[in-house]
Amino acid sequence: VTPPGIRGTEQCRMLLKTAKRSATVAWSPLNNHRGLLACGTVANAIDDSFETTADLEVFTVDFAAGSPNQMTTKGGVVKSQERFHQLAWGGVPVAASGAVPTLSHGILAGGMVDGSIGLWNPAIITKEVEGEALLSSAKKHKGPVRGLDFNIFKPNLLASGATESEILIWDLTAPNTPNVYTPGQATHPVMDITCVAWNPKVEHILASTGSSGTSVVWDLRQKRPVISFTDSATKTSRSALAWNPEIATQVIVASDDDTTPILQMWDLRNAHAPAKTLQGHTRGILGLSWCPNDSSMLLTCGKDSRTLCWNPNDSSIMCELPASANWNFDVRWSPKLPAILSTSSFDGTVQVYSLTDTGNGQSGGAVQAPGWLKRPAGAAFGFGGQLATFAKPPADQPGVRPTVKVHKIVTEPDFLAKADELDTAVTAGALKGFCESKIETCGDADAAEEWRFMHILFESDARRRLMNHVGFNADTISEEVLALKLEDLKLDQAQPSPKKDKKKDKKADKPPEPEKAPEEAPAPP
């Protein structure tokens, strides 16, 4: 049955690749290795062979036409003593002397069942570098580690969350001997941390949520929690949390309670109540991922074996991926491949999908153009040879805001220089001096005469000077007028009378004709 809010009559069919693994996954955050997907054997699951070991593998997602549907392993398989609750892939850490050359693929971190954190070198797993893949393993938590996230601004920093509200920050500048500290005093009530997430806009802000339904925002500069929020009406367990990739104060949390399988969007500017509630799943939600390339696309998966793509702006469901035979416990957007996502299910499959074909809403595809298809840059011309441009920041520079610049385009430099000179004179009120310079530099006599006329207009007694310039002296004209004699004006000479029209005069002298008497009517017989 198509649930309310889904636009379209069929489910999306955008499956690209599959791997037969019961695994939690992590995409590579590096542009030059963006097609790599790490898989670690998930805890609390067992396959048909009842194998109890744990494996860590890196798969290559090949999008070439004609490539096999099954993902291929790149390199070898690394055995782990414990199974994974969470897997995270961080960028290349920067040491005091610069980037570590042996960590060209970044660092893989695993949150294990026994409370330990394992660190691996993916470059060695993929056979790009020789050596021991395991960098270090440290057991600092008292219980299973379900929350794990790398800081995108500082790949050296890793946050982890476990039982008893325990959150740790790992400094991986030296991954063989990491430095561990807490972001602040543990929160109350004590709960199992299920998810931690760094803010994608502010590097020192971290959020966590857990089984008690309370979510906490931490400030690592102050080393304390700055705000906590919970919905008093639905105090249910929270399974996942994600920040809005564009708005730093918005965060969304998911509930894994079957009675209230909802998503709640919170705006930290008013954390008294959720700003929005999204409903669509019929059972608890287990996984959540907000698209880093388009904030209007949100993925969720849950115990109802469904994976939904939402538009959180209007609370609508854009499309649904094909349902699995068992619970979907994890869903991830690729950070460097727009439109690419992965799902993990307890039926023993990891699948890679694409949302490139947005469709028209009738075939199950998304009904709106995603953000990665929108114009990344643009330009518009204005007056005065000005060009305004805008551009999105590079994908490898998180936190950088889009830029708008105004350029001056010079097509006729001589004309533009003259215009600038005139504009400067107008602004400074020095038009008189401007005209004087033109008179001196003008080589044409006629043009120089024109500039002299313009120069006179800016004099205090411009009217008198202009008359003098054209040869009329006001004092001389007055003396000449007074010197004229009256007879010189010839005012007593008779003026000739205007000629009359003779034809009109003749018509006027002709006597008028007598009027004719009206004829009498004949008498009747």
Side-chain angles (χ1 to χ4, degrees):
V1 178
T2 302
I6 290 186
R7 302 171 183 173
T9 57
E10 301 179 6
Q11 292 179 331
C12 306
R13 300 193 179 277
M14 302 155 285
L15 179 63
L16 297 179
K17 303 292 177 181
T18 302
K20 296 295 294 182
R21 299 288 189 278
S22 294
T24 180
V25 304
W27 287 93
S28 170
L30 306 176
N31 275 321
N32 51 344
H33 304 296
R34 55 187 176 179
L36 298 182
L37 180 68
C39 295
T41 306
V42 70
N44 302 329
I46 197 167
D47 57 14
D48 296 339
S49 63
F50 287 88
E51 182 66 43
T52 58
T53 59
D55 298 332
L56 178 61
E57 306 168 89
V58 176
F59 289 89
T60 299
V61 183
D62 186 5
F63 299 104
S67 60
N69 292 332
Q70 291 291 327
M71 289 186 287
T72 57
T73 305
K74 183 176 176 62
V77 179
V78 176
K79 295 294 182 180
S80 173
Q81 295 182 354
E82 298 291 339
R83 291 201 168 195
F84 296 82
H85 270 300
Q86 194 64 258
L87 192 63
W89 195 330
V92 179
V94 180
S97 59
V100 182
T102 58
L103 298 175
S104 59
H105 289 52
I107 293 180
L108 273 171
M112 319 306 286
V113 175
D114 64 345
S116 63
I117 298 290
L119 302 176
W120 289 267
N121 187 346
I124 296 177
I125 298 176
T126 58
K127 303 299 183 182
E128 298 287 341
V129 180
E130 296 295 330
E132 178 63 32
L134 181 63
L135 297 172
S136 64
S137 178
K139 187 176 180 180
K140 299 292 184 179
H141 289 285
K142 301 175 183 178
V145 180
R146 290 185 172 87
L148 204 63
D149 192 30
F150 274 98
N151 190 312
I152 60 175
F153 298 97
K154 297 180 179 179
N156 299 1
L157 298 182
L158 172 70
S160 62
T163 57
E164 299 183 8
S165 301
E166 191 175 33
I167 298 176
L168 296 177
I169 305 299
W170 301 68
D171 186 352
L172 307 182
T173 303
N176 295 323
T177 56
N179 183 26
V180 184
Y181 59 93
T182 62
Q185 188 176 359
T187 58
H188 297 281
V190 177
M191 62 180 176
D192 293 342
I193 301 297
T194 56
C195 183
V196 292
W198 293 97
N199 191 297
K201 293 293 185 181
V202 186
E203 64 181 29
H204 59 275
I205 297 299
L206 176 73
S208 64
T209 193
S211 57
S212 70
T214 300
S215 302
V216 183
V217 178
W218 303 80
D219 188 336
L220 265 66
R221 289 183 178 177
Q222 302 181 23
K223 293 186 178 181
R224 67 179 183 87
V226 292
I227 191 173
S228 63
F229 55 92
T230 184
D231 185 9
S232 58
T234 57
K235 291 184 177 180
T236 56
S237 174
R238 304 303 186 203
S239 57
L241 176 146
W243 289 97
N244 189 322
E246 295 182 1
I247 303 176
T249 59
Q250 284 190 2
V251 62
I252 196 164
V253 293
S255 169
D256 60 358
D257 192 296
D258 291 344
T259 59
T260 55
I262 59 174
L263 298 165
Q264 289 184 332
M265 182 185 294
W266 293 78
D267 193 326
L268 302 184
R269 292 170 294 185
N270 180 12
H272 294 89
K276 192 177 298 184
T277 300
L278 286 69
Q279 297 181 347
H281 283 277
T282 56
R283 296 188 65 186
I285 301 171
L286 300 177
L288 173 67
S289 182
W290 211 324
C291 181
N293 299 296
D294 188 353
S295 62
S296 64
M297 304 187 78
L298 178 74
L299 289 171
T300 59
C301 63
K303 300 177 186 177
D304 53 5
S305 305
R306 297 167 59 201
T307 302
L308 304 179
C309 182
W310 303 73
N311 182 349
N313 297 327
D314 59 10
S315 305
S316 64
I317 300 176
M318 297 172 59
C319 63
E320 179 177 359
L321 275 65
S324 60
N326 209 324
W327 292 3
N328 290 333
F329 62 87
D330 192 20
V331 61
R332 302 283 183 96
W333 286 103
S334 170
K336 298 299 180 182
L337 292 172
I340 302 301
L341 60 102
S342 66
T343 62
S344 301
S345 173
F346 281 125
D347 61 6
T349 57
V350 174
Q351 297 177 318
V352 175
Y353 292 87
S354 171
L355 290 182
T356 300
D357 183 10
T358 56
N360 57 7
Q362 298 301 319
S363 60
V367 294
Q368 69 182 39
W372 54 84
L373 296 182
K374 297 178 182 178
R375 291 186 299 173
F381 277 101
F383 293 103
Q386 291 184 333
L387 177 68
T389 63
F390 72 90
K392 290 184 178 179
D396 57 351
Q397 297 181 10
V400 179
R401 295 184 177 182
T403 58
V404 178
K405 297 181 180 179
V406 178
H407 311 268
K408 206 163 193 178
I409 307 300
V410 179
T411 56
E412 297 184 14
D414 294 340
F415 177 79
L416 191 60
K418 293 177 181 179
D420 289 340
E421 184 181 1
L422 177 60
D423 183 67
T424 302
V426 172
T427 304
L431 290 174
K432 183 178 178 181
F434 177 78
C435 294
E436 291 175 353
S437 65
K438 290 297 181 181
I439 295 172
E440 295 175 358
T441 58
C442 184
D444 187 6
D446 294 336
E449 185 65 20
E450 293 176 359
W451 283 111
R452 289 190 185 94
F453 272 100
M454 295 292 294
H455 178 268
I456 292 173
L457 295 178
F458 297 105
E459 296 285 356
S460 58
D461 53 346
R463 183 182 182 85
R464 184 183 63 81
R465 289 180 177 271
L466 188 60
M467 291 177 63
N468 292 341
H469 187 74
V470 297
F472 293 98
N473 190 308
D475 298 335
T476 306
I477 292 175
S478 300
E479 292 176 357
E480 291 178 356
V481 171
L482 294 175
L484 288 176
K485 296 180 179 180
L486 187 60
E487 57 268 18
D488 293 336
L489 298 178
K490 298 179 181 181
L491 297 176
D492 57 344
Q493 186 176 350
Q495 298 295 328
S497 59
K499 295 181 181 181
K500 297 182 178 180
D501 192 346
K502 294 182 179 180
K503 292 182 179 181
K504 291 183 178 180
D505 293 344
K506 288 180 180 180
K507 290 182 179 180
D509 297 341
K510 188 177 179 180
E513 296 181 0
E515 296 182 0
K516 293 182 180 181
E519 296 182 1
E520 295 183 358

